[in-house]
Amino acid sequence: MTHSDRPADHKKPLAARSSGPLSGTVRVPGDKSISHRALILGALAVGESRISGLLEGEDVLNTARAMRALGASLERTGDYVWSVKGVGVAGFAEPAAPLDFGNSGTGCRLVMGAVAGCPITATFDGDASLRSRPMRRVLDPLQLMGARLGGGGKAGRLPLTLIGARDPLPIVYRTPVASAQIKSAVLLAGLAAPGVTTVIESEASRDHTELMLRHFGADIVSTPEGPHGRRIALSGQPELHGAQVVVPADPSSAAFPVVAALIVEGSELVLPDVMTNPLRTGLFTTLREMGGLIEQDDLRGDAGEPMARLCVRASKLRGVEVPPERAPSMIDEYLVLAVAASFAEGTTIMRGLQELRVKESDRLEATAAMLRVNGVKAEISGDDLIVEGRGHVPGGGLVTTHMDHRIAMSALVMGLAADKPVRVDDTAFIVTSFPDFIPMMRAAGAEFS
Ligand code: S3P
């Protein structure tokens, strides 16, 4: 993609209208979190890693470009198959130009961690959405480990320059919010530190970094901490070796066809190889509590990540209360859950959503706005979102996407079962996470125009 082809440059409006039953098999692309991590750990390993099923979305491609700029060799050897030859722990070379992460908070924050443990200076940048997101949350612990801030860093917003530590220190760090990005940044910096780097989280967040570090040969131990938390201890300066990674389908992308199948009458969709790591499946748990018919078979696992085939059938949904401790396991799914809640009978209360305010957009406000403009009653009370489901959605609204892929996909899903079409002002950002979303949904019967 050349600079002028980036999502921000061309607005792509689209409308979704009431569709006949959705049917068939939807092959959701590779998991975004795992794809970023496979590229980064492959780049820090000695020898060759082979990654299959990589998400070739713009967010992950930006991480691939960053790994090249930092000295790793990456080659696309087939469809979704990549070979990475790494430089070894702490072996990154100084990049010649700023690293541009586009729309991706995950790519940016994880690579900040990996760079913080290397004796190099790198400038990090991104698009307008990423430039507005907080970076202090990763810079604070990375500074404790010995990294320093150059230009722009004080404000904690991109663009900023990070000066990696020559002799990084292992730390014990308690994350202030449940965030896999903060945890992962500290662990990736800790790879280069002597001794044990420890991260303590009071609510467990997705553990893909821990599972994959172990898969690449690191010594990492995770133990329970309190009722919902974890203590993760990584022994520094391991020799990471190249590994094979099979990336399962992304449950956060599967969320859109799954909710579409539940709300469009008569639908039945099959989704193979969807990752079922329990720290990612809060949406499926919630949809089942709402009465959603989601069956699971063909259970398998790779590199410690479980996966299964999902079979979803249109269902009568009812409102539920979603507890705050479930939020980390479905943090990216509240937008599309709110769509399901709008079609349910009764009230859905989603608690503890403060982190939604710092995603690709302020997703708490954006979700309420998406529902209201389509005739659904939605209220924000503190950090909670309350949706009044009436069993149907009037629709007819124009949804503003705020450079946020998940707003665009959620609004399009809503339009497939709403009384009147739902329009979105811009679908261009869908390429960041699910490039084939529109053709795949069309092939299953979705009406977009
Ligand atoms: C991600 C972690 C989550 C999530 C993001 C991907 C990751 O962010 O929202 O889409 O891959 O680590 P936080 O860790 O900041 O909650």
Side-chain angles (χ1 to χ4, degrees), residues 33 37 180 183 204-208 210 279-280 328 331-332:
S33 295
R37 286 159 173 81
K183 169 175 65 180
S205 65
R206 64 190 70 193
D207 58 358
H208 309 306
E210 296 93 302
L279 293 169
R280 292 288 298 281
I331 195 65
D332 293 334

Side-chain angles (χ1 to χ4, degrees), residues 32-34 36-37 106 109-110 133 137 178-182 184 205-206 208 331-332 355 359-360 363 406:
K32 183 148 68 74
S33 295
I34 293 185
H36 284 299
R37 286 159 173 81
T106 307
R109 293 185 178 124
L110 268 55
R133 296 179 66 185
R137 48 177 55 204
S179 162
Q181 295 180 359
I182 302 176
S184 302
S205 65
R206 64 190 70 193
H208 309 306
I331 195 65
D332 293 334
E355 275 296 294
K359 294 298 175 188
E360 285 84 330
R363 285 188 178 157
R406 298 200 202 279

Side-chain angles (χ1 to χ4, degrees), residues 191-442:
L191 281 173
V196 177
T197 293
T198 304
V199 180
I200 303 166
E201 41 183 16
S202 51
E203 299 279 343
S205 65
R206 64 190 70 193
D207 58 358
H208 309 306
T209 303
E210 296 93 302
L211 295 172
M212 201 178 289
L213 277 168
R214 194 169 297 139
H215 184 61
F216 276 76
D219 177 6
I220 182 162
V221 179
S222 176
T223 46
E225 172 90 8
H228 307 292
R230 294 228 175 136
R231 166 184 287 260
I232 301 121
L234 169 71
S235 302
Q237 301 182 335
E239 172 120 334
L240 299 182
H241 52 72
Q244 304 261 342
V245 179
V246 179
V247 184
D250 193 328
S252 300
S253 296
F256 301 103
V258 164
V259 169
L262 291 175
I263 62 175
V264 176
E265 227 178 283
S267 297
E268 182 162 348
L269 285 183
V270 174
L271 296 92
D273 298 334
V274 178
M275 191 231 291
T276 52
N277 180 323
L279 293 169
R280 292 288 298 281
T281 48
L283 173 74
F284 302 143
T285 304
T286 306
L287 291 171
R288 287 185 179 116
E289 288 172 0
M290 295 172 82
L293 299 169
I294 306 173
E295 278 164 24
Q296 202 165 294
D297 65 8
D298 191 25
L299 305 168
R300 287 181 293 129
D302 190 86
E305 295 287 359
M307 56 182 117
R309 175 170 52 208
L310 304 184
C311 177
V312 193
R313 275 176 290 145
S315 308
K316 256 199 130 17
L317 302 175
R318 55 185 174 271
V320 292
E321 186 164 335
V322 190
E325 62 274 11
R326 197 177 289 167
S329 70
M330 53 179 297
I331 195 65
D332 293 334
E333 279 69 78
Y334 284 98
L335 274 155
V336 77
L337 175 63
V339 171
S342 307
F343 287 92
E345 291 285 355
T347 305
T348 293
I349 305 175
M350 302 167 226
R351 299 213 184 270
L353 307 189
Q354 59 280 8
E355 275 296 294
L356 290 195
R357 295 194 186 276
V358 290
K359 294 298 175 188
E360 285 84 330
S361 64
D362 177 343
R363 285 188 178 157
L364 195 47
E365 290 297 338
T367 308
M370 171 180 77
L371 301 191
R372 288 178 190 141
V373 77
N374 285 292
V376 178
K377 213 170 147 214
E379 192 194 319
I380 297 169
S381 167
D383 295 326
D384 301 341
L385 177 67
I386 303 157
V387 177
E388 303 288 343
R390 297 237 176 93
H392 80 106
V393 168
L398 171 63
V399 175
T400 309
T401 53
H402 302 287
M403 305 177 78
D404 188 330
H405 52 135
R406 298 200 202 279
I407 296 179
M409 289 187 277
S410 299
L412 290 174
V413 166
M414 180 181 240
L416 300 179
D419 302 341
K420 286 195 235 130
V422 171
R423 287 173 296 139
V424 298
D425 67 336
D426 188 12
T427 58
F429 282 85
I430 293 175
V431 295
T432 61
S433 68
F434 197 162
D436 289 331
F437 172 76
I438 291 167
M440 271 189 191
M441 293 300 292
R442 274 197 175 123

Side-chain angles (χ1 to χ4, degrees), residues 30-45 47-56 60 63-64 67 72-86 212 215-216 242-248 302-303:
D31 185 70
K32 183 148 68 74
S33 295
I34 293 185
S35 296
H36 284 299
R37 286 159 173 81
L39 293 176
I40 296 168
L41 290 189
L44 287 172
E48 182 176 358
S49 294
R50 189 170 175 279
I51 308 164
S52 56
L54 189 87
L55 167 64
E56 293 176 340
V60 174
T63 293
M67 293 303 103
S73 318
L74 286 83
E75 198 189 337
R76 184 180 192 270
T77 55
D79 286 351
Y80 319 110
V81 182
W82 288 58
S83 156
V84 182
K85 291 194 184 112
M212 201 178 289
H215 184 61
F216 276 76
Q244 304 261 342
V245 179
V246 179
V247 184
D302 190 86

